[in-house]
Amino acid sequence: MKKRLRITTALAMLTVLSVALFTPGCGGPGSRTDKLSPAVSLIVDSKEFDSSTWAIKVADLKSGGDVLESMNPAAILDPASTTKLFTVATALEVLGADYRFNTPVYGTSRPGAGGALDGDLILVASGDIALGGRDSVNGKVQYTNADHTDANALGTAVLTEGDPLAGLDALARQVVESGVRRVNGDVIVDARLFSGSPYNAQLDYSLTPIMVNDNLVDVVLKPAAPGEAAELSSRPQTSSYTVENKVKTVAKGGEAVVETKSGGPGVIVVEGQVPEGGGDVVRTYSVEDPASFARTLFIEALARAGVQVTAPAVGPNPADQLPASDAYKGLPGLALLESPPFKEYAKLILKVSHNPGADTLLMLIAVHEGKSTMADGLQVEKAFLDKAGVDTAAIVLNDGQGSSGANLLSPDATVQLLRHMSTTRDAKVFRDALPIAGVDGSLANVLTRSPAKGKVQAKTGTHLGGNELDGSAVLTARALGGYMTTSSGRELVFMVDVNYVPLKSMDDLLPMLEKHASIVEKIYEEF
């Protein structure tokens, strides 16, 4: 199956490449000062990297430890999603590993005789990026190695087993337990905690403190016989949307090409083709109005719990009817959803590279400090990095997740951060949240047959660009930064980043990613 990957914007790509290619010391083999082992040099000097820019640093984990591999370590290149290392590290410092989101529901009055609430029911969003929809029975946050937030970009996804509406159902049951049987007013979602949009306007999500199922409608397509319509199911089941199925089944060996798009207000159109015997195909649709979506889902959860709401379930969220934010202390609390600890969310964000979650963290960091914007969150992050001894002059950050293509990091700065985190109270939490080579997350299929399998815990970052001139592609960034226990038991910290690798076609991508990962394998064996 051909994989359809998110393409970085031309402007972002040109910005990154211009900085990378003109950073002193970033030229070809003849102009650099390296400290590379022969095995690593052999890979870096391969012909396919003639026009690429490398930045590498590998060192002992201990502070001031030996530098074992080094190439352009001060160069600032596009790190892609390794940006999330810095975001999650800051959140662990500011919020704490045991921080929990608390999402309350208030009534504008108390329920009277017969359980009638003559007023509104208000769900106050707390920025919980899962809202109970990923909770498992053991208090963990569920994720799969191919998360649905990347279903459209990568062409593959595996849905979690949990019910994305479990949190709303739990709140609805508590509302019943508080004595409410009928709401004679409206149901309102208070999403005023923060507001904003992602740095990259092309990303298919909005920043909001209310997030149910990542504000996505999942669409699952099962192939039928050639020429027949594919079988379609969607989740969450809701009256918010009607899904129109225009996907046909083609013969075995055909390509799966599926697109979701708006067919007008409240209508999702799914069109394309899936091959017979090709397995399930998952795609998503990003909801236009998360607060109104959550309102409808909550009203439907209340109905399942036995609460009648006189207001229509489908419609705009009446935010203009909300009380002043400081009025809640005088209103009756009817329900409260407490999340798993933040250390579980750190795993979700780092292991599967959860973009909306990482950007949301910057907003939550800002709110924690009494502010409200992404820029505010980045200022808090800078203060943390300065305190941690990270050279912020070697960093350019404009978002929390890295897919905007407008961030730049040096291996020097990344190693400084990773070393600092290894000395904090949350050292184990941070390291355990990283993907493990050959085991899980974005490294699940990397180094699977290598002796380094299970010995590398690191964050990946990948940016891919297209070339309309000749139909080729460009791996604009591939980065890997984290920790390693080598074959001798030595503890290392590392960052390996390469920018601008020409590809003849998308078929060259996976072999190139494997070649990049082989550097880590050589380091594992060497030391």
Side-chain angles (χ1 to χ4, degrees):
M1 179 189 301
K2 183 182 293 184
K3 295 186 177 180
R4 304 173 65 192
L5 301 175
R6 178 177 286 128
I7 306 300
T8 54
T9 65
L11 178 61
M13 185 171 72
L14 289 173
T15 301
V16 169
L17 291 178
S18 64
V19 174
L21 294 175
F22 292 101
T23 299
C26 287
S31 64
R32 71 188 190 227
T33 301
D34 303 337
K35 181 182 179 180
L36 296 179
S37 60
V40 173
S41 290
L42 188 64
I43 298 169
V44 169
D45 291 335
S46 298
K47 183 176 178 57
E48 59 260 55
F49 299 121
D50 281 351
S51 58
S52 306
T53 303
W54 286 92
I56 300 171
K57 186 169 186 175
V58 183
D60 272 329
L61 176 57
K62 62 184 179 182
S63 179
D66 293 339
V67 175
L68 306 176
E69 305 271 1
S70 179
M71 178 180 178
N72 301 321
I76 54 173
L77 303 186
D78 179 7
S81 283
T82 54
T83 297
K84 295 181 178 72
L85 290 169
F86 290 73
T87 311
V88 172
T90 306
L92 283 170
E93 172 68 18
V94 175
L95 302 178
D98 295 322
Y99 175 84
R100 294 175 186 263
F101 297 96
N102 286 290
T103 303
V105 174
Y106 293 93
T108 55
S109 66
R110 295 188 180 278
L117 191 155
D118 293 323
D120 298 328
L121 204 62
I122 305 172
L123 186 156
V124 183
S126 65
D128 187 338
I129 65 174
L131 202 64
R134 291 179 181 260
D135 292 5
S136 62
V137 293
N138 58 1
K140 305 292 185 181
V141 170
Q142 295 183 20
Y143 58 87
T144 65
N145 294 331
D147 194 67
H148 74 155
T149 52
D150 278 327
N152 295 347
L154 299 181
T156 58
V158 177
L159 299 180
T160 55
E161 295 180 357
D163 180 358
L165 302 179
L168 293 180
D169 283 335
L171 285 171
R173 289 193 295 270
Q174 290 183 46
V175 169
V176 172
E177 292 168 1
S178 73
V180 177
R181 297 294 183 273
R182 178 184 174 90
V183 178
N184 289 326
D186 213 325
V187 173
I188 314 174
V189 173
D190 186 341
R192 295 178 294 184
L193 184 66
F194 60 78
S195 62
S197 59
Y199 182 82
N200 182 358
Q202 289 190 344
L203 293 180
D204 56 355
Y205 61 85
S206 58
L207 286 176
T208 171
I210 185 66
M211 198 178 297
V212 184
N213 198 44
D214 296 304
N215 293 331
L216 298 172
V217 175
D218 300 318
V219 176
V220 181
L221 296 150
K222 294 181 180 292
E228 295 182 0
E231 179 184 338
L232 184 149
S233 61
S234 63
R235 78 170 200 181
Q237 288 292 306
T238 173
S239 56
S240 294
Y241 290 98
T242 298
V243 182
E244 295 183 359
N245 181 11
K246 297 184 179 181
V247 179
K248 298 297 184 182
T249 305
V250 296
K252 290 182 179 180
E255 183 181 358
V257 180
V258 178
E259 179 184 7
T260 61
K261 62 182 183 180
S262 174
V267 178
I268 300 170
V269 176
V270 187
E271 58 186 17
Q273 64 179 43
V274 294
E276 180 188 18
D280 292 356
V281 174
V282 177
R283 294 293 185 269
T284 60
Y285 181 84
S286 186
V287 304
E288 297 88 352
D289 184 347
S292 296
F293 180 63
R295 172 187 174 273
T296 296
L297 293 173
F298 190 34
I299 291 174
E300 292 170 342
L302 289 165
R304 289 192 294 273
V307 178
Q308 181 183 2
V309 178
T310 57
V314 178
N317 182 53
D320 57 343
Q321 298 177 28
L322 288 169
S325 296
D326 59 1
Y328 290 116
K329 56 188 175 183
L331 298 179
L334 304 178
L336 180 68
L337 182 70
E338 183 179 77
S339 76
F342 174 66
K343 58 187 176 184
E344 288 298 314
Y345 288 81
K347 291 178 183 177
L348 170 64
I349 292 168
L350 291 177
K351 285 190 181 288
V352 307
S353 211
H354 193 278
N355 286 332
D359 271 345
T360 297
L361 283 186
L362 281 181
M363 311 301 288
L364 294 171
I365 290 166
V367 169
H368 189 273
E369 299 300 308
K371 300 180 180 181
S372 61
T373 69
M374 181 176 283
D376 293 331
L378 286 166
Q379 288 302 302
V380 176
E381 183 169 336
K382 183 181 186 303
F384 159 69
L385 295 174
D386 287 337
K387 183 180 176 182
V390 177
D391 181 11
T392 53
I395 301 172
V396 176
L397 293 178
N398 287 289
D399 61 32
Q401 38 77 12
S403 72
S404 70
N407 298 327
L408 301 165
L409 296 172
S410 74
D412 278 343
T414 306
V415 166
Q416 288 168 351
L417 174 77
L418 291 166
R419 274 185 170 150
H420 169 76
M421 291 306 296
S422 72
T423 67
T424 68
R425 67 184 186 276
D426 295 321
K428 187 176 186 304
V429 169
F430 185 68
R431 186 161 177 169
D432 287 350
L434 294 169
I436 304 172
V439 177
D440 66 10
S442 57
L443 285 178
N445 298 315
V446 176
L447 301 177
T448 56
R449 298 182 180 180
S450 167
K453 176 181 178 180
K455 303 298 183 181
V456 177
Q457 293 166 287
K459 182 71 193 76
T460 56
T462 308
H463 275 159
L464 187 68
N467 184 356
E468 296 294 340
L469 184 66
D470 60 6
S472 63
V474 181
L475 182 61
T476 56
R478 176 62 174 180
L480 189 63
Y483 306 97
M484 178 194 313
T485 304
T486 69
S487 58
S488 68
R490 196 169 183 177
E491 293 293 322
L492 305 183
V493 62
F494 69 93
M495 176 66 163
V496 178
D497 194 358
V498 64
N499 282 190
Y500 195 70
V501 184
L503 305 175
K504 292 180 181 179
S505 71
M506 293 294 186
D507 293 336
D508 292 338
L509 177 61
L510 291 181
M512 193 59 67
L513 297 184
E514 291 172 0
K515 194 156 194 175
H516 179 273
S518 69
I519 291 179
V520 177
E521 181 179 48
K522 298 302 182 185
I523 294 167
Y524 169 84
E525 295 171 341
E526 178 78 12
F527 301 102

